[in-house]
């Protein structure tokens, strides 16, 4: 989750040291935005804003998304599914 938050700031943040580079090289930031579209859309629905979710809501949903992704990957790598067959 911490890595996801750091990547979000580095790729999309206005105060990021890489902001000027990604102004002209948009492939990686656009891919990151696509990966995090669900927290953005759900946050917008929750906050009722067409301009985007409140920052705290987005960060919470972003952490939840990447926690779930990490949990599922750890289950797959640990062989959890084989234990219950």
């Amino acid at each position: 989750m911490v890595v996801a938050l750091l990547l979000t700031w580095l790729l999309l943040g206005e105060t990021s040291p890489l902001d000027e580079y990604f102004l002209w090289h948009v492939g990686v930031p656009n891919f990151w935005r696509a990966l995090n579209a669900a927290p953005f859309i759900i946050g917008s629905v929750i906050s009722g804003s067409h301009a985007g979710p409140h920052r705290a809501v987005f960060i919470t949903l972003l952490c939840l998304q990447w926690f779930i992704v990490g949990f599922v990957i750890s289950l797959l790598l640990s062989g959890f599914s084989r234990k219950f067959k």
Side-chain angles (χ1 to χ4, degrees), residues 26-75:
V26 296
V28 175
N30 285 344
F31 177 71
W32 189 249
R33 281 184 184 100
L35 283 178
N36 297 312
F40 186 83
I41 293 169
I42 294 169
S44 295
V45 169
I46 290 172
S47 64
S49 173
H50 297 290
H54 189 270
R55 185 173 292 165
V57 173
F58 176 71
I59 290 172
T60 302
L61 292 172
L62 183 74
C63 288
L64 180 65
Q65 173 188 324
W66 288 106
F67 173 78
I68 292 169
V69 169
F71 184 71
V72 168
I73 290 172
S74 71
L75 287 178

Side-chain angles (χ1 to χ4, degrees), residues 5-54:
L5 290 173
L6 181 64
L7 278 174
T8 301
W9 172 69
L10 279 174
L11 297 173
L12 307 176
E14 293 177 6
T15 59
S16 167
L18 302 175
D19 184 47
E20 294 232 359
Y21 176 79
F22 287 126
L23 186 63
W24 301 104
H25 302 88
V26 296
V28 175
N30 285 344
F31 177 71
W32 189 249
R33 281 184 184 100
L35 283 178
N36 297 312
F40 186 83
I41 293 169
I42 294 169
S44 295
V45 169
I46 290 172
S47 64
S49 173
H50 297 290
H54 189 270

